[in-house]
Structure formats: C-alpha cells, structure tokens
C-alpha cells in the first residue's frame, strides 16, 4: 500500500509511546487502505442499470428497434414477440455487464458508494480490528483503537467498555476533528500522532499511569 515511510511510522510509534507515559491505557493505531470491497454496491448499481435499460426499451422501444435494424441491414422488419423479449433480455445483460465493468474501477466505485454505507463499513472494520488487536487484551481493559481508512476518508476511535462508560463520544469527536485538520493537508502520520496525543490526554485524566504499569500492546502502527 505504501502510504507511509519508515520515518512516518516512527512519528506515530513515538506519539503512542509518549502518550502512554501518562496513562495506564493502551493505544493501538491502524491505517487501512479500505474497509470493504463494496461488491454488493457494484451488484446493486449493475442491476439498477440493467433494469433501467430494460424499462427504457419497454417504454420507448422504437429507437432501439430502429438502431438494431440499421446495424443488421434490416428494412421494414416486423418484430415478433420473441424477438422483442430477446432484445429486452439482451439490453439488460449488456447494461449489467457494462455497469459491473465500469464499477470495477476503484475511483468510480467509491464515488458511487453512498456515504452512510462507507461510514457503516468503516465502523464495522474498526470494531473487527479492535476485537482482534485491543479488546480485553490489557489488565484493566483500557485499550483504545484509533482507526483510519484512507479510501473512505473516515476515521474511528473504539475503546474498551470501561473507557466507553466514562468518556462520552463527544470527547472522541474533538480528537477526530484535530486529526481531520491535518489529513486535509495530506499529513497522514502527523494526523495519527495528533489523534494519539488527544486520546492520551483523555486517558491520562481518567486512567492515570500506575507505578507498576507496563506496556501491554505494541506501539507500532499497523497498516492493512
């Protein structure tokens, strides 16, 4: 994927290490190229195009029939019911295939995927990564995942239940806003570092570092 260099990774890892100096919480960072392939979205659009083509033929068949006759060299051709049905099916198949091929191009597929669908898939992916990489993997269940999905232009912060019970969602929203300011400038590593800093400040307030605290999760950034 290659979004970040080794020095960029170090920026994020150093930010995690610095943030965890003041809290017993553990911060995990994940950078994803995308959160889903959206094959179902491609299918829906392709089916919609197929039905649109067939519906147009049903409403205004003459232009299609004239075009076909001109292509095959017909003259005053009388269309049978079977030919009309075959033309309808053929138009649907052609439109479906073209739609599928066009939406196989990533920029168009992501552009035509509704925003709420992207948000839901990013959230689901963040939850999955949290369950694997952070949930209940710390002594006091104080893990927090900071997840950034590049193709969808979305980020998520997911916390273990003891943290979520204390810290309202609005607080994480402030951290997200700080991150997005840097992301708008194309500073990916810096945006993650700022998000980590903000999360660390929140955690240090509610879960200060104990004398016997140890680092339970890796500080490194995970790219997927």
């Amino acid at each position: 994927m290659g979004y970040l260099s080794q020095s960029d990774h170090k920026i994020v890892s150093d930010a995690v290490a610095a943030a965890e100096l003041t809290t017993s919480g553990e911060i995990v960072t994940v950078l994803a190229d995308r959160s889903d392939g959206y094959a179902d979205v491609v299918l829906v659009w392709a089916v919609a195009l197929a039905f649109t083509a067939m519906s147009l033929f049903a409403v205004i068949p003459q232009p299609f029939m004239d075009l076909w006759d001109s292509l095959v060299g017909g003259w005053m051709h009388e269309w049978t019911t079977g030919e009309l049905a075959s033309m309808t099916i053929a138009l649907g198949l052609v439109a479906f295939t073209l739609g599928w091929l066009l939406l196989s191009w990533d920029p168009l597929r992501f552009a035509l995927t509704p925003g709420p669908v992207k948000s839901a898939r990013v959230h689901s992916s963040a939850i999955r990564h949290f369950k694997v990489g952070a949930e209940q993997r710390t002594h006091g269940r104080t893990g927090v995942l900071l997840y950034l999905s590049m193709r969808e232009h979305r980020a998520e912060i997911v916390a273990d239940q003891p943290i979520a019970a204390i810290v309202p969602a609005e607080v994480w929203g402030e951290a997200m806003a700080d991150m997005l300011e840097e992301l708008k400038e194309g500073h990916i590593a810096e945006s993650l570092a700022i998000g980590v800093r903000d999360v660390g400040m929140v955690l240090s307030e509610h879960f200060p570092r104990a004398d016997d605290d140890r680092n339970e999760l890796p500080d490194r950034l995970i790219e997927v």
Side-chain angles (χ1 to χ4, degrees):
M1 182 172 55
Y3 282 110
L4 298 180
S5 64
Q6 286 298 111
S7 59
D8 290 328
H9 274 263
K10 188 175 187 305
I11 289 173
V12 180
S13 298
D14 288 349
V16 173
E20 291 179 353
L21 288 176
T22 60
T23 176
S24 61
E26 294 286 334
I27 303 171
V28 178
T29 53
V30 176
L31 176 66
D33 175 51
R34 67 189 70 196
S35 293
D36 194 74
Y38 302 100
D40 55 335
V41 174
V42 174
L43 179 61
V44 168
W45 274 109
V47 169
L49 288 172
F51 273 102
T52 299
M54 291 188 291
S55 299
L56 281 173
F57 182 68
V59 174
I60 47 172
Q62 198 60 50
F64 294 93
M65 295 161 62
D66 292 342
L67 176 62
W68 179 257
D69 286 341
S70 67
L71 291 173
V72 299
W75 187 57
M76 298 298 290
H77 177 69
E78 293 292 333
W79 285 72
T80 66
T81 302
E83 288 174 333
L84 290 171
S86 298
M87 176 61 77
T88 304
I89 295 170
L91 283 171
L93 288 174
V94 169
F96 180 89
T97 302
L98 287 176
W100 187 275
L101 291 174
L102 286 172
L103 287 161
S104 295
W105 185 46
D106 277 352
L108 184 60
R109 180 165 73 253
F110 279 90
L112 293 179
T113 299
V117 175
K118 292 178 184 176
S119 297
R121 301 295 167 83
V122 170
H123 180 72
S124 296
S125 183
I127 294 294
R128 287 196 303 272
H129 281 90
F130 177 71
K131 288 181 179 295
V132 172
E135 186 178 36
Q136 299 185 24
R137 294 188 61 188
T138 60
H139 176 70
R141 296 184 62 189
T142 53
V144 177
L145 174 77
L146 202 159
Y147 178 86
L148 181 59
S149 192
M150 297 301 296
R151 294 295 184 105
E152 290 87 353
H153 298 166
R154 282 163 173 77
E156 289 276 340
I157 296 176
V158 186
D160 258 320
Q161 195 279 329
I163 298 175
I166 297 174
V167 181
E170 294 77 16
V171 173
W172 301 132
E174 294 174 8
M176 300 279 280
D178 290 341
M179 285 180 58
L180 293 177
E181 285 299 319
E182 285 292 328
L183 279 171
K184 289 177 183 177
E185 302 298 324
H187 304 151
I188 300 173
E190 290 78 5
S191 73
L192 285 166
I194 287 174
V196 167
R197 179 203 66 190
D198 290 354
V199 169
M201 291 172 63
V202 174
L203 290 177
S204 64
E205 179 182 349
H206 298 283
F207 300 91
R209 185 181 178 92
D211 293 336
D212 60 348
D213 185 78
R214 59 187 180 85
N215 194 13
E216 298 176 274
L217 297 176
D219 295 339
R220 67 181 178 85
L221 170 67
I222 301 168
E223 283 196 75
V224 294

